[in-house]
């Protein structure tokens, strides 16, 4: 049942709009934040070296602070910012489709989770498994899902 909801375009649009609103709010307030996004959907201009890209996992965390935050803006359902990569701090403009953002993080706390970012319309069983794996891949989420002792 949850998987069916996650597959709905209307539900995805709600989450995308919510993420966009949060990102715009943080940008207006000049508040540092992070985004955990599906790596395969990212674009870099200019492109970054292959050896750096190969170090990225399925999801990549970007912390928007200092110059990266100052350079950030939203346009056409995308978050765009400048960042440096590798030991040589190779500059590139990163474009992140907002629907591919799994989490928005403030002060090391996930404040937004978008499970639809983990789904590429696979079969039902695969989608549930990959969604849960992506959610649990972040140690902070594991802490949140553990039952509190009374």
């Amino acid at each position: 049942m949850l998987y069916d909801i996650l597959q709905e375009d209307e539900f995805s649009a709600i989450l995308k709009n919510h993420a966009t609103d949060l990102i715009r709010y943080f940008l207006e307030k000049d508040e540092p934040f992070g985004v955990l996004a599906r790596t395969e959907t990212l674009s870099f201009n200019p492109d970054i070296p292959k050896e750096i890209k190969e170090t990225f996992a399925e999801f990549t965390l970007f912390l928007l602070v200092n110059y990266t935050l100052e350079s950030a803006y939203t346009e056409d359902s995308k978050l765009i910012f400048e960042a440096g990569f590798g030991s040589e701090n190779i500059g590139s403009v990163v474009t992140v489709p907002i629907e591919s953002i799994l989490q928005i993080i403030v002060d090391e706390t996930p404040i937004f989770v978008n499970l639809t970012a983990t789904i590429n319309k696979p079969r039902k069983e695969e989608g549930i498994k990959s969604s849960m794996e992506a959610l649990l891949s972040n140690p902070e989420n594991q802490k949140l899902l553990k039952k509190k002792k009374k």
Side-chain angles (χ1 to χ4, degrees), residues 32-67:
F33 65 99
V35 293
L36 182 65
R38 180 181 286 281
T39 303
E40 68 186 20
T41 66
L42 306 174
S43 64
F44 303 91
N45 185 18
D47 203 8
I48 59 175
K50 183 180 176 183
E51 55 272 9
I52 293 175
K53 279 187 184 177
E54 289 174 346
T55 66
F56 294 161
E58 181 181 3
F59 288 88
T60 303
L61 176 63
F62 294 96
L63 298 176
L64 283 81
V65 297
N66 302 323
Y67 180 73

Side-chain angles (χ1 to χ4, degrees), residues 12-106:
S12 293
I14 290 168
L15 292 175
K16 180 178 172 181
N17 289 335
H18 184 56
T20 302
D21 289 344
L22 287 170
I23 290 167
R24 287 180 178 156
Y25 177 80
F26 293 131
L27 292 175
E28 287 172 13
K29 297 289 186 182
D30 200 30
E31 178 69 35
F33 65 99
V35 293
L36 182 65
R38 180 181 286 281
T39 303
E40 68 186 20
T41 66
L42 306 174
S43 64
F44 303 91
N45 185 18
D47 203 8
I48 59 175
K50 183 180 176 183
E51 55 272 9
I52 293 175
K53 279 187 184 177
E54 289 174 346
T55 66
F56 294 161
E58 181 181 3
F59 288 88
T60 303
L61 176 63
F62 294 96
L63 298 176
L64 283 81
V65 297
N66 302 323
Y67 180 73
T68 299
L69 178 61
E70 292 172 18
S71 72
Y73 62 97
T74 59
E75 181 179 275
D76 299 328
S77 300
K78 296 178 176 116
L79 172 62
I80 302 167
F81 54 88
E82 293 182 40
F85 297 91
S87 59
E88 297 174 10
N89 201 28
I90 299 167
S92 184
V93 175
V94 182
T95 301
V96 181
I98 291 179
E99 65 271 8
S100 75
I101 295 173
L102 174 64
Q103 292 182 351
I104 298 174
I105 302 160
V106 176

